Amino acid sequence: MDDAAVYRLTSDLAVVQTVDFITPIVDDPYRFGRIAAANALSDIYAMGAKPLFALNLVGFPVKTLPMGVLGEILKGAAHKAAEAGIQILGGHSIEDFEPKFGLSVTGVVHPARVVRNSTARPGDRLILTKPLGLGVLTTAGDRAGPEALERAVATMETLNSAASGVMTEVGVTACTDVTGFGLLGHLYEMVTASGVGAVVTAISVPILPEAEKLASEGVAPAGSHNNLAYLEDRVAWGRAATKTRKILLSDAQTSGGLLIAVPAAKSRKLLKRLHEAGVTEAVEIGGIVTDESAMIRVV
Ligand code: CO
Ligand code: CO
């Protein structure tokens, strides 16, 4: 159930291939390019792989938007790729009614070190590396206020590379990145694929500033409502799961953090190393339990 394809070439080398593209979620084209690139690279990092190079995927309304806008998107992506230590070597563009942009990324990993989302084990602790609320805040736009919006954009621009590097160094059981299905949607993929259950402590899950307030006022993208509708009967909601918390835990993220399952004995070490590596918002949010019905309990 992983988002990336893994193809073994030799006994010690596998290719990891991903593709991801999105519609603009911020007004600034340069920053949209940066976010889209970080978002596309994320599936490589979630597998514990290293990116090698990428190709652009572009849909652009050439008749209604100046080409300079596209130039800014591509520049943002190129800068983000450079930060990831790779280059964008080409790509393909078509005319479209609204801008779309993303990357196909090629990476490599040792076949024995692939980090899957289907291998979580009872007793593992769950670590989340970025706060939630990105869908709510980008939907709110200016209503979120400049500071909260800036914080959300900066969070989406942040590569999951440092988190991935620490994860592979420490050694973990399973990982996925948190994107369109939200925290609980991606956790649900992990527990069903792994044949386990999970407990999430609602109060321990970090939420970006203003997102809680906006969500309580009913601000959330359609995707988050769809996620919650899907999860409603698949999650056992405790008393801490208020209506607002439910939507935030299901909030559709773009370029969200990594959700890592790590053996309990390594959990503190992983968190310490993450914080030292600059992944300062990483926290423990719950754990994996034995449960063949793959239930998530939010307490
Ligand atoms: Co993806
Ligand atoms: Co993914």
Side-chain angles (χ1 to χ4, degrees):
M1 288 179 89
D2 276 301
D3 294 336
V6 181
Y7 188 92
R8 186 168 58 212
L9 291 177
T10 66
S11 58
D12 59 3
L13 186 67
V15 170
V16 182
Q17 187 74 48
T18 72
V19 60
D20 212 313
F21 60 99
I22 56 176
T23 53
I25 47 165
V26 292
D27 292 335
D28 181 336
Y30 174 74
R31 302 196 77 179
F32 170 54
R34 287 166 61 90
I35 292 167
N39 182 61
L41 279 153
S42 179
D43 282 325
I44 295 281
Y45 293 129
M47 305 297 296
K50 295 253 175 295
L52 285 183
F53 65 91
L55 301 173
N56 284 324
L57 291 130
V58 179
F60 195 76
V62 284
K63 294 192 183 80
T64 54
L65 277 181
M67 286 304 281
V69 171
L70 178 55
E72 286 296 304
I73 295 172
L74 297 179
K75 191 166 90 181
H79 286 173
K80 194 44 73 174
E83 189 188 321
I86 67 165
Q87 281 188 295
I88 298 171
L89 300 180
H92 183 72
S93 59
I94 58 162
E95 194 178 340
D96 204 344
F97 293 107
E98 63 173 343
K100 296 186 184 75
F101 181 72
L103 300 176
S104 173
V105 188
T106 302
V108 284
V109 68
H110 190 291
R113 302 219 183 88
V114 176
V115 183
R116 294 172 172 82
N117 67 357
S118 57
T119 43
R121 286 194 299 251
D124 286 348
R125 304 310 299 162
L126 287 168
I127 309 294
L128 178 68
T129 67
K130 287 185 187 179
L132 302 180
L134 296 166
V136 168
L137 288 162
T138 52
T139 300
D142 290 338
R143 193 175 152 187
E147 268 173 52
L149 200 55
E150 173 56 36
R151 179 87 183 275
V153 171
T155 300
M156 291 186 286
E157 286 176 337
T158 302
L159 290 171
N160 283 327
S161 56
S164 178
V166 170
M167 164 178 97
T168 51
E169 172 208 314
V170 172
V172 304
T173 337
C175 177
T176 184
D177 59 341
V178 178
T179 52
F181 298 143
L183 171 69
L184 293 182
H186 288 281
L187 177 59
Y188 186 70
E189 278 190 329
M190 184 183 277
V191 296
T192 49
S194 305
V196 296
V199 177
V200 172
T201 313
I203 197 76
S204 69
V205 179
I207 307 291
L208 283 159
E210 298 300 319
E212 188 108 42
K213 179 173 162 282
L214 288 159
S216 75
E217 292 165 5
V219 179
S224 305
H225 289 290
N226 294 343
N227 290 341
L228 180 55
Y230 178 79
L231 292 162
E232 192 72 56
D233 298 332
R234 291 170 167 88
V235 173
W237 305 97
R239 215 178 301 162
T242 59
K243 204 175 152 208
T244 301
R245 275 276 148 171
K246 280 180 168 185
I247 200 77
L248 287 166
L249 296 177
S250 313
D251 189 34
Q253 308 293 280
T254 299
S255 194
L258 299 183
L259 174 64
I260 303 169
V262 60
K266 287 185 184 176
S267 176
R268 278 187 65 182
K269 180 180 173 188
L270 177 67
L271 275 174
K272 184 167 171 279
R273 294 276 173 86
L274 283 168
H275 296 162
E276 286 166 359
V279 189
T280 53
E281 292 175 286
V283 289
E284 191 177 299
I285 60 156
I288 298 292
V289 294
T290 306
D291 183 355
E292 277 163 21
S293 59
M295 200 54 142
I296 298 173
R297 279 192 295 134
V298 174
V299 297

